[in-house]
Amino acid sequence: MSRLLVVVVIFIAIYLLLRHYRKQMPKKDVLGEDASKHRENMVRCAHCGVHLPKGESIMLDHKHYCSEAHRRAHTDEPE
Ligand SMILES: [Zn+2]
């Protein structure tokens, strides 16, 4: 009978541990949100098609470019 009591105590301990770890999980969700926010700010270079953060891009006429060279190459050369 005392063996059964030990098993029950072990199960309760495992349950409490799992509950403790689940409380720490939301932190990971917050990081996931930050990553998706980061992805929203990605823009595509109108010249070569490379993806880069909006803040690092060069914008002209509502188009984004990865570098000054591509901005010039795309706007100076008539299509
Ligand atoms: Zn480019």
Side-chain angles (χ1 to χ4, degrees), residues 30-43:
V30 169
L31 283 174
E33 264 182 40
D34 284 349
S36 63
K37 273 183 191 172
H38 221 69
R39 244 173 271 139
E40 282 172 28
N41 291 330
M42 295 297 274
V43 291

Side-chain angles (χ1 to χ4, degrees), residues 45-60:
C45 175
H47 186 72
C48 67
V50 77
H51 287 83
L52 70 154
K54 197 176 180 181
E56 290 176 29
S57 69
I58 295 159
M59 197 180 161
L60 188 86

Side-chain angles (χ1 to χ4, degrees), residues 56-70:
E56 290 176 29
S57 69
I58 295 159
M59 197 180 161
L60 188 86
D61 294 334
H62 302 287
K63 284 176 184 169
H64 298 275
Y65 302 94
C66 65
S67 61
E68 179 61 28
H70 278 182

